Amino acid sequence: MRLYKHPLQGKHRFMGFTTNDKDISIAVASVDELYDEDYHYHKESDEIYITAEGQGTIEIENKLYILEPGKVIRVEKGEKHRVISVDVSPFTVYALKVPDIVDDKVIIDKK
């Protein structure tokens, strides 16, 4: 068993955290400004997005899906995607990358 402390306390413009395990990487990002991630895909890893607060959008293969508490979205390896915040309200999302492979991310469109 491993226990990881949640690093977010108070308001942050952008804060990232990852466990960097081999089997799974757990990242958390908290944004309170407009945010537009680079469009990318992963060669060998799937990503699972779980929204903790607020609302954002994920674009997967040119289709938009709402990220909000209560929804879990899985992006399979090879699927092009990016996360976008929709307003300046706090938005916190967890991204689980399985398996966690170094240099697996391929950027298609740099913002």
Side-chain angles (χ1 to χ4, degrees), residues 10-111:
K11 274 190 156 184
H12 296 276
R13 296 188 68 171
F14 178 81
M15 177 69 183
F17 166 73
T18 183
T19 60
N20 291 319
D21 285 333
K22 292 180 181 178
D23 297 328
I24 186 170
S25 173
I26 304 168
V28 60
S30 183
V31 181
D32 64 1
E33 63 182 13
L34 294 177
Y35 174 72
D36 188 358
E37 184 180 30
D38 294 332
Y39 204 52
H40 67 280
Y41 68 91
H42 298 276
K43 295 181 278 189
E44 297 296 326
S45 298
D46 290 355
E47 276 189 314
I48 300 165
Y49 290 89
I50 303 167
T51 304
E53 73 171 325
Q55 184 175 324
T57 302
I58 186 165
E59 181 179 353
I60 305 170
E61 296 290 335
N62 300 312
K63 292 182 182 177
L64 298 176
Y65 302 90
I66 300 297
L67 288 169
E68 61 188 356
K71 283 190 179 175
V72 176
I73 294 181
R74 179 179 175 170
V75 179
E76 296 183 353
K77 69 179 181 181
E79 289 185 313
K80 298 178 282 280
H81 63 284
R82 66 185 177 140
V83 174
I84 307 163
S85 65
V86 293
D87 60 33
V88 295
S89 299
F91 170 57
T92 303
V93 64
Y94 291 86
L96 289 71
K97 189 170 129 186
V98 182
D100 186 20
I101 299 172
V102 177
D103 298 325
D104 184 55
K105 183 176 183 176
V106 178
I107 296 174
I108 299 166
D109 182 18
K110 189 137 179 98
K111 295 290 170 199

